[in-house]
Amino acid sequence: MHLWQLATQTLTIGERPLVMGIVNVTPDSFSDGGRFFGGDAAIAHGLELVRQGADLLDIGGESTRPGATPVPLEEELARVVPVVEALARQATVPISVDTSKAEVARQCLERGGAIINDVTALTGDPEMIGVARQSGAGVVLMHMQGTPQTMQKDPQYRDPVGDLLRYFRGRLKACAAAGIDRERLVIDPGIGFGKTLQHTLTQLARLEEFQRLGRPVLLGVSRKGFIGQVLGRPRGERLIGSLAVLCYAVARGAVQVVRVHDVSETREAVTLCGKIREFRKQRKRGKEAND
Ligand code: 8Y7
């Protein structure tokens, strides 16, 4: 069992991972067919994902897709802050803000946001680590090699799991030094962020190794490129592939939070995987009692 401490509450995570629903407030998020841009549409979409069973919402205004152009601060603030504010008030679940800009995080947390999901693991903006400390918010530390503009150009690892473990140990240490409690942190291998297909498949095959860090692991595979590479499917046809990857990870006890577009389908799949794991645990306990 894992605990994840946020500013005003502590989440308990059992065998079923928490489902984090993705709310894009970007005009270029064509994975949603471009339907959910604009504040009101994003708010409605977030509420719908909660109705479908999302445990958390992740609100993002800057596309981190490979090759995407960065969004200026004022534009990102205008997109994200009103949506976070409205959902923090109306939705019943903690709101995460997907940003690497300290000012965006600060304003969102002030208006009810509970989690910073930073694809640069608090390294992209020198002010971010201070904002994180002061807010008491939960923090997702994601690994990325390079930047969204360059990351898919020939990424290299000595060991695609060992290198990430070393990176996370460094980030956990930096957070501790900055006064951010370990209980607030979640780690994330950053699937597709500076990784070839081979790197990704290795990281998924060995995902349980990240449990060694003693913190919950978040996994984002929803509709991603590697699924398309393996199955030959376009973005709109990757739901079954996405669920298969998540079930593989949940069955191994290797994931505690899943970041997805398709909340109701994901929730069903991971609930069943989690149920089976509960029975596996019970059976193990029974065996020990009989020994
Ligand atoms: C991830 C993410 C994206 C992920 C975390 C996409 C913002 C690309 N992917 N954040 N963000 N983990 N923590 O396809 O895997 O959703 S954007």
Side-chain angles (χ1 to χ4, degrees), residues 49-91:
L49 294 184
V50 172
R51 201 195 54 77
Q52 291 182 18
D55 302 295
L56 308 159
L57 293 176
D58 188 38
I59 320 302
E62 175 178 48
S63 177
T64 32
R65 195 177 295 288
T69 43
V71 176
L73 172 65
E74 290 306 323
E75 174 66 22
E76 194 178 336
L77 285 170
R79 286 181 191 177
V80 163
V81 176
V83 175
V84 168
E85 185 169 25
L87 286 173
R89 215 179 293 141
Q90 295 175 56

Side-chain angles (χ1 to χ4, degrees), residues 186-198:
V186 162
I187 59 160
D188 178 348
I191 296 300
F193 285 82
K195 285 105 182 171
T196 64
L197 176 60
Q198 284 214 356

Side-chain angles (χ1 to χ4, degrees), residues 189-253:
I191 296 300
F193 285 82
K195 285 105 182 171
T196 64
L197 176 60
Q198 284 214 356
H199 296 143
T200 296
L201 293 174
T202 303
Q203 286 158 353
L204 291 170
R206 295 171 56 192
L207 195 67
E208 60 269 35
E209 293 182 34
F210 294 102
Q211 298 291 310
R212 280 188 216 155
L213 297 167
R215 294 307 304 147
V217 169
L218 184 149
L219 190 65
V221 297
S222 190
R223 305 179 186 175
K224 279 190 178 170
F226 80 96
I227 296 171
Q229 283 178 270
V230 173
L231 298 181
R233 293 274 189 191
R235 279 193 80 79
E237 297 174 12
R238 295 178 188 165
L239 172 59
I240 295 173
S242 303
L243 297 179
V245 176
L246 292 183
C247 289
Y248 181 88
V250 176
R252 295 159 76 101

Side-chain angles (χ1 to χ4, degrees), residues 1-290:
M1 177 137 85
H2 286 268
L3 296 177
W4 186 11
Q5 191 188 310
L6 314 182
T8 60
Q9 65 183 305
T10 300
L11 303 177
T12 304
I13 314 173
E15 295 302 328
R16 175 178 80 72
L18 301 180
V19 176
M20 173 185 269
I22 300 170
V23 179
N24 284 317
V25 204
T26 53
D28 60 347
S29 60
F30 56 85
S31 114
D32 290 330
R35 279 176 298 142
F36 298 112
F37 61 89
D40 289 346
I43 294 162
H45 185 54
L47 293 173
E48 168 60 18
L49 294 184
V50 172
R51 201 195 54 77
Q52 291 182 18
D55 302 295
L56 308 159
L57 293 176
D58 188 38
I59 320 302
E62 175 178 48
S63 177
T64 32
R65 195 177 295 288
T69 43
V71 176
L73 172 65
E74 290 306 323
E75 174 66 22
E76 194 178 336
L77 285 170
R79 286 181 191 177
V80 163
V81 176
V83 175
V84 168
E85 185 169 25
L87 286 173
R89 215 179 293 141
Q90 295 175 56
T92 49
V93 302
I95 306 299
S96 159
V97 52
D98 155 22
T99 188
S100 44
K101 293 191 183 77
E103 185 58 21
V104 174
R106 196 185 60 73
Q107 291 196 26
C108 288
L109 297 171
E110 226 173 61
R111 287 166 172 75
I115 296 164
I116 303 170
N117 174 27
D118 184 355
V119 298
T120 72
L122 311 183
T123 67
D125 182 329
E127 310 285 318
M128 187 65 117
I129 204 151
V131 169
R133 178 195 37 241
Q134 282 221 328
S135 63
V139 176
V140 179
L141 298 172
M142 198 196 80
H143 174 273
M144 167 165 56
Q145 186 176 101
T147 66
Q149 287 71 51
T150 61
M151 64 191 178
Q152 289 307 94
K153 292 189 182 133
D154 195 28
Q156 307 264 353
Y157 296 87
R158 213 168 45 86
D159 171 349
V161 174
D163 291 5
L164 268 60
L165 284 169
R166 192 146 30 81
Y167 176 77
F168 287 129
R169 285 194 190 99
R171 296 312 300 148
L172 291 172
K173 220 173 184 175
C175 287
I180 302 171
D181 290 341
R182 206 179 160 83
E183 289 65 37
R184 292 167 53 194
L185 304 173
V186 162
I187 59 160
D188 178 348
I191 296 300
F193 285 82
K195 285 105 182 171
T196 64
L197 176 60
Q198 284 214 356
H199 296 143
T200 296
L201 293 174
T202 303
Q203 286 158 353
L204 291 170
R206 295 171 56 192
L207 195 67
E208 60 269 35
E209 293 182 34
F210 294 102
Q211 298 291 310
R212 280 188 216 155
L213 297 167
R215 294 307 304 147
V217 169
L218 184 149
L219 190 65
V221 297
S222 190
R223 305 179 186 175
K224 279 190 178 170
F226 80 96
I227 296 171
Q229 283 178 270
V230 173
L231 298 181
R233 293 274 189 191
R235 279 193 80 79
E237 297 174 12
R238 295 178 188 165
L239 172 59
I240 295 173
S242 303
L243 297 179
V245 176
L246 292 183
C247 289
Y248 181 88
V250 176
R252 295 159 76 101
V255 60
Q256 284 72 40
V257 186
V258 297
R259 180 182 178 277
V260 300
H261 302 89
D262 304 285
V263 168
S264 64
E265 293 89 343
T266 299
R267 187 158 164 138
E268 284 193 10
V270 300
T271 297
L272 207 48
C273 293
K275 263 278 180 268
I276 297 168
R277 275 195 60 90
E278 282 173 25
F279 276 75
R280 181 172 178 273
K281 257 194 352 202
Q282 281 176 17
R283 180 167 164 277
K284 270 195 182 156
R285 280 206 205 95
K287 268 173 116 177
E288 278 161 22
N290 290 333

